[in-house]
Amino acid sequence: MVPEESRRLSEIKFKLERRSFLLESVRAFFCRKGFIEIETPVRVPAIAPEQFILPYTSENWYLSTSPELQMKRLLAAGYDKIFQICHCFRKNERGQQHNPEFTMLEWYRTGADYRSIIEDTERLIYGLAQQLGQSESIQYQGRQIDLSLPWPEIRVREAYLRWAGWDPIENFDIERFDIDMAEKVIPCFPADKPTVILDYPAECASLARLKPGPAPGRQVAERAEIFIGGLEISNGFSELNDAQEQEKRFKLELEIMQKCGKPAAMPEKFLEAVKHLPDCTGNALGIDRLVMLLLDTNCIDDVMAFPSDLL
């Protein structure tokens, strides 16, 4: 082993030990709540068509970008509460907070909506901080962050009207939406508390259910993201279980991807399963970023043994 690698691995040993403890604690949290830990394949014939996610191909199949489709097929088969900690793969995602191969926690429950998944996430992260010996606040990059429950919420429309000066629900523009999210909205989230931002434009949630009931103007999707200390920690929503609507959305995504020359295929088995999918909710939480947050580091390399460019 070269000296530089040996030195680096020695320096992050404590963080990797803490990471192992946190993974054990995550599993214990869900097992206490009656969830079943399951495993799904890493190499799959089709993934959810999403124009902003570029997958790795493997002999005309794909390395999983998310276990979502397979996990929801389990829900359609009668499973009630399931979770998984797995490796996912996405091209062109390398930076201080990103690695092309990363660890994802996903969990799903039937008979619930995105309000339940928000509560799950709050209690999970609050409890993990307590197990690390923190009080109701944690130190992250020179700031104290108060994790006491419940966490402040803001709807997408309100956030953009307040900090970006326009309404993305009535006047959706994907390029402007993404730029303003990064440059105007997220930087204005309170630095001393987590932020739950919810009710996204329908165009920003291809697998999420639209909010039911009468509403002025265009509908929004029941999607919620949680940000803490400037880090996007999780992304969850009430799951769409209308097979015809899901196929329609996928076709639109596939058309865009094919025009751009991006690999894509229709996930036929998943669409068949959606016909039997009960009302349910799910969440995807980045384990690497969660460990970064709880161990007070702003670099993903500090919490994984072998980032992609050190292999």
Side-chain angles (χ1 to χ4, degrees):
M1 180 179 291
V2 297
E4 292 82 2
E5 177 174 300
S6 179
R7 181 168 57 251
R8 175 186 171 272
L9 291 176
S10 295
E11 288 173 350
I12 65 170
K13 182 181 178 184
F14 175 76
K15 288 185 173 66
L16 296 186
E17 290 172 343
R18 295 285 81 190
R19 179 187 176 111
S20 176
F21 171 77
L22 288 168
L23 287 172
E24 180 181 343
S25 299
V26 167
R27 286 188 165 94
F29 173 88
F30 285 102
C31 290
R32 285 195 305 270
K33 289 180 170 289
F35 283 72
I36 301 172
E37 182 174 7
I38 55 89
E39 294 179 301
T40 57
V42 170
R43 182 174 172 270
V44 293
I47 59 174
E50 296 185 74
Q51 59 182 296
F52 298 110
I53 295 178
L54 188 60
Y56 287 96
T57 56
S58 173
E59 297 181 342
N60 296 320
W61 281 26
Y62 303 89
L63 296 184
S64 177
T65 57
S66 163
E68 177 175 3
L69 301 192
Q70 287 72 36
M71 293 184 77
K72 287 198 278 193
R73 285 166 63 182
L74 288 168
L75 297 181
Y79 288 68
D80 181 20
K81 296 191 290 186
I82 56 177
F83 80 99
Q84 178 172 195
I85 298 171
C86 63
H87 281 213
C88 297
F89 304 82
R90 298 180 184 181
K91 271 189 177 181
N92 300 335
E93 297 206 6
R94 180 64 175 127
Q96 191 161 303
Q97 299 176 9
H98 297 83
N99 193 66
E101 179 180 357
F102 58 98
T103 304
M104 186 86 86
L105 162 66
E106 292 204 15
W107 72 96
Y108 296 83
R109 57 161 72 212
T110 59
D113 63 13
Y114 71 147
R115 304 300 318 191
S116 297
I117 221 75
I118 292 170
E119 183 178 332
D120 283 347
T121 310
E122 292 176 338
R123 294 189 179 280
L124 171 65
I125 297 176
Y126 180 85
L128 292 175
Q130 299 295 299
Q131 290 185 54
L132 286 175
Q134 308 278 6
S135 62
E136 287 198 335
S137 66
I138 61 172
Q139 179 86 12
Y140 183 69
Q141 300 300 289
R143 300 189 299 269
Q144 286 293 124
I145 300 176
D146 178 10
L147 295 182
S148 58
L149 307 179
W151 294 346
E153 297 180 355
I154 188 168
R155 285 171 170 74
V156 166
R157 170 180 272 138
E158 179 187 347
Y160 275 74
L161 286 171
R162 182 185 301 180
W163 295 313
W166 63 291
D167 185 343
I169 308 300
E170 293 297 328
N171 304 289
F172 185 71
D173 179 324
I174 183 60
E175 184 174 354
R176 186 182 181 190
F177 183 88
D178 289 343
I179 292 172
D180 283 358
M181 175 66 85
E183 297 182 357
K184 297 180 180 179
V185 176
I186 295 175
C188 288
F189 290 159
D192 61 347
K193 288 284 292 185
T195 296
V196 182
I197 183 168
L198 65 164
D199 293 352
Y200 275 69
E203 294 88 346
C204 292
S206 67
L207 289 109
R209 186 178 74 193
L210 297 183
K211 202 172 184 69
R218 299 171 67 249
Q219 283 183 281
V220 298
E222 291 189 342
R223 173 187 173 191
E225 288 191 293
I226 292 177
F227 290 81
I228 310 177
L231 295 172
E232 178 192 344
I233 297 295
S234 72
N235 177 31
F237 38 84
S238 305
E239 306 292 344
L240 178 65
N241 57 1
D242 181 327
Q244 289 186 329
E245 174 64 20
Q246 187 65 81
E247 183 175 14
K248 176 184 174 183
R249 295 186 192 181
F250 278 172
K251 283 181 177 178
L252 290 174
E253 287 288 319
L254 284 169
E255 288 176 8
I256 295 171
M257 295 173 72
Q258 288 164 358
K259 287 178 182 177
C260 299
K262 296 179 179 178
M266 184 68 80
E268 300 289 354
K269 288 188 177 180
F270 169 71
L271 287 175
E272 183 63 30
V274 173
K275 298 175 184 177
H276 310 283
L277 192 65
D279 288 343
C280 55
T281 184
N283 197 25
L285 184 151
I287 287 290
D288 308 296
R289 289 189 187 176
L290 178 61
V291 177
M292 288 170 58
L293 174 73
L294 294 177
L295 299 187
D296 191 14
T297 179
N298 64 355
C299 182
I300 198 170
D301 292 17
D302 292 341
V303 298
M304 56 173 54
F306 297 104
S308 61
D309 46 1
L310 295 180
L311 290 173

